[in-house]
């Protein structure tokens, strides 16, 4: 079942949620929470295709910004928030797998 892209994306989303919840429960905030969520996302980029990696990148950014940097899931779009988004999207583009070539 793990050979299916959708299954890997679902597991990846769950892992990002778990990383965020762990940071919130242990009191890790700000740069520490962002680094933890981004580290998990970066590992996931290698097992999904580029479009899936971009989806996980935006999800990871939203979780890190909404819960690691801000409180109660509030998303903000100021300079540092957009820099975080740019960094994680660049990682997704660089590390996401290419789709297999058509026969």
């Amino acid at each position: 079942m793990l050979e299916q892209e959708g299954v890997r994306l679902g597991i990846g989303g769950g892992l990002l949620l778990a990383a965020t919840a762990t940071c919130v429960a242990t009191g890790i905030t700000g740069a520490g929470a962002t680094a933890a969520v981004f580290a998990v996302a970066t590992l996931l980029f290698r097992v999904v295709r580029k479009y899936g990696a971009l989806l996980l990148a935006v999800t990871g950014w939203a979780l890190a910004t909404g819960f690691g940097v801000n409180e109660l899931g509030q998303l903000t779009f100021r300079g540092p928030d957009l820099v975080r988004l740019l960094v994680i999207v660049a990682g997704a583009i660089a590390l996401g797998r290419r789709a297999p070539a058509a026969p």
Side-chain angles (χ1 to χ4, degrees):
M1 204 161 42
L2 287 176
E3 65 276 356
Q4 296 179 7
E5 184 77 9
V7 171
R8 291 192 304 268
L9 282 172
I11 292 170
L15 290 172
L16 288 172
L17 283 170
T20 304
T22 301
C23 288
V24 170
T26 58
I28 299 171
T29 60
T34 299
V37 172
F38 280 21
V40 171
T42 301
L43 293 173
L44 295 170
F45 293 159
R46 300 302 295 160
V47 297
V48 296
R49 294 188 184 135
K50 289 216 186 274
Y51 292 117
L54 289 170
L55 178 64
L56 291 174
V58 172
T59 302
W61 169 80
L63 290 169
T65 301
F67 295 100
V69 176
N70 300 318
E71 294 182 10
L72 303 174
Q74 178 185 5
L75 289 179
T76 51
F77 296 96
R78 290 174 283 201
D81 304 317
L82 299 177
V83 169
R84 276 191 299 278
L85 180 60
L86 178 67
V87 167
I88 197 165
V89 165
I93 291 170
L95 298 175
R97 293 186 315 144
R98 291 179 186 240

